[in-house]
Amino acid sequence: STVAWMWHANGGTTSANTDGSGATIASTIQANQDAGFSIVKTVGTGNAGTIAHGLGKAPEWIIGKNLDTGGNWVVYHKSLGADNIIYLNLTAVAASSSDYWGTTEPTSSLFGVKGGGVDINTNTDNTIFYCWTSIPSYSKFGIYLGNGSTNGPHIITGFKPSWIMTKRTDSSDNWQIQDNTRNPFNGGNWNKLSPDLTAVESQNTNNAMDFLSNGFKLRHNNGQTNGSGGTYIYMAFAEHPFLGDGTNPCPAR
């Protein structure tokens, strides 16, 4: 079996630096502002600079990857801030570092990068960035604290989730992805996939969480998702991904 999760950008149509007033690094952008998602491609300069993202509001989650010489999948998350770094392909804790995103938070038009590393913005190397910002009733990115109980925290997203990714930031644990296709019902065993592993999905109650009408609730005391005092970032998307008439978002069913 194969599972795929897809975000629609702009049908392959790119624009050059569309909102990049003040951008110092050239980029091509596919942006879907209604869905809060953009794909940004740059050629690295090796020097600190700013890049246009096309979202129209500040990105809250960015994944960057060098396309030419390898390196890590580098993650920015609003709850960690620009001066912290975490990697999608590793279990490592979030670390204080200004060597990737600099120290200035993204704005409604730009995000920052540092230069000189092998992961992003390496001189002459192609880099891809996937950028998201939260859209009411569709997506939300945040942080929660674990309580080490099977009656775990209830995280309010404002919609019924269909896809959730979590990562403990203060301990070397796996990333976890849950969705309502592989796990259509609450309770029992849950199927988990980890982007930092090549392993097949695992299935057990240690991954249990309830998908609720307004968010999700942890149902196990596993340290990977709900250790006592643990800090976790999350990225969540709704079961109902439509935004009404463009004025009032259509809430998830």
Side-chain angles (χ1 to χ4, degrees), residues 137 139-140 155-161 212-216 234 236:
S137 294
S139 59
K140 190 168 183 180
I155 294 87
I156 304 295
T157 61
F159 52 79
K160 184 176 182 180
L212 306 175
S213 61
N214 64 347
F216 61 101
Y234 71 87

Side-chain angles (χ1 to χ4, degrees), residues 30-247:
Q30 290 189 61
N32 182 346
Q33 291 189 351
D34 288 339
F37 174 59
S38 68
I39 302 172
V40 181
K41 188 175 181 180
T42 68
V43 177
T45 65
N47 299 307
T50 53
I51 300 171
H53 52 71
L55 293 175
K57 55 186 292 193
E60 300 176 11
W61 175 31
I62 305 172
I63 301 173
K65 180 69 171 67
N66 187 316
L67 298 177
D68 293 331
T69 55
N72 295 305
W73 292 79
V74 181
V75 175
Y76 163 85
H77 191 283
K78 70 167 188 176
S79 298
L80 299 176
D83 56 355
N84 279 276
I85 190 66
I86 199 164
Y87 304 100
L88 185 65
N89 59 303
L90 301 175
T91 63
V93 300
S96 176
S97 175
S98 60
D99 292 336
Y100 297 88
W101 309 110
T103 57
T104 302
E105 295 301 313
T107 70
S108 60
S109 57
L110 304 168
F111 65 90
V113 291
K114 293 295 288 292
V118 297
D119 293 318
I120 54 175
N121 197 34
T122 305
N123 190 30
T124 73
D125 282 359
N126 290 289
T127 304
I128 198 78
F129 297 93
Y130 302 101
C131 308
W132 289 266
T133 191
S134 61
I135 302 295
S137 294
Y138 172 60
S139 59
K140 190 168 183 180
F141 315 103
I143 194 167
Y144 67 88
L145 293 176
N147 65 7
S149 169
T150 54
N151 183 19
H154 178 190
I155 294 87
I156 304 295
T157 61
F159 52 79
K160 184 176 182 180
S162 66
W163 186 96
I164 299 170
M165 181 161 67
T166 60
K167 172 69 173 80
R168 185 165 183 170
T169 63
D170 60 345
S171 178
S172 297
D173 287 299
N174 299 115
W175 294 77
Q176 298 206 41
I177 297 175
Q178 315 278 23
D179 63 66
N180 67 352
T181 300
R182 293 176 301 128
N183 303 292
F185 305 106
N186 292 331
N189 291 335
W190 274 66
N191 297 299
K192 177 200 78 172
L193 283 168
S194 297
D196 54 278
L197 298 174
T198 60
V200 300
E201 70 178 6
S202 61
Q203 184 186 71
N204 54 63
T205 57
N206 290 346
N207 309 317
M209 63 174 66
D210 287 348
F211 282 21
L212 306 175
S213 61
N214 64 347
F216 61 101
K217 183 176 177 63
L218 282 302
R219 289 296 188 184
H220 202 277
N221 59 4
N222 183 357
Q224 290 188 350
T225 54
N226 188 30
S228 180
T231 305
Y232 303 84
I233 55 172
Y234 71 87
M235 292 66 75
F237 293 87
E239 178 180 10
H240 191 301
F242 301 106
L243 298 178
D245 60 5
T247 302

